[in-house]
Amino acid sequence: MNVIKNDNVLVIAGNEKGRQGRVLKTYPKTQRILVEGINFIKRHSRPSQQNPQGGIVEKEGTINVSNVMVICPKCSNATRIKRRILENGKSVRICRNCLEMLTVSG
Ligand SMILES: [Zn+2]
């Protein structure tokens, strides 16, 4: 996936289009991500230690990774990510806009 934890992303499709948030978690198998403050869903929960009352809690729900674009920390534009394999075999992510290298992953 081209999106990794702690990236800032811009939502480009769906109900939350135009909103931004930080990636809390990625699920590569399902190509879904959890973004802070985006796509709240209501869940019914039983009383627990954390939430003694139980009832309805709002929690972020996952969204498909294809519905977001990474915001480049260097040029602050929502950008498509290019991948390049370095000579040492490591894969880096490159901003298509300013061609800066983003955080290394995978
Ligand atoms: Zn950039």
Side-chain angles (χ1 to χ4, degrees), residues 1-5 7 81 83-85 89-93 102-106:
M1 294 217 297
N2 286 335
V3 176
I4 60 173
K5 199 179 164 191
D7 274 349
I81 298 288
R83 271 186 183 266
R84 181 172 296 164
I85 312 291
K90 279 200 169 166
S91 158
V92 294
R93 304 186 303 159
L102 306 186
T103 348
V104 179
S105 75

Side-chain angles (χ1 to χ4, degrees), residues 21-32:
R22 188 169 59 91
V23 176
L24 299 174
K25 212 170 176 195
T26 61
Y27 302 90
K29 267 189 194 159
T30 51
Q31 296 288 297
R32 296 181 79 81

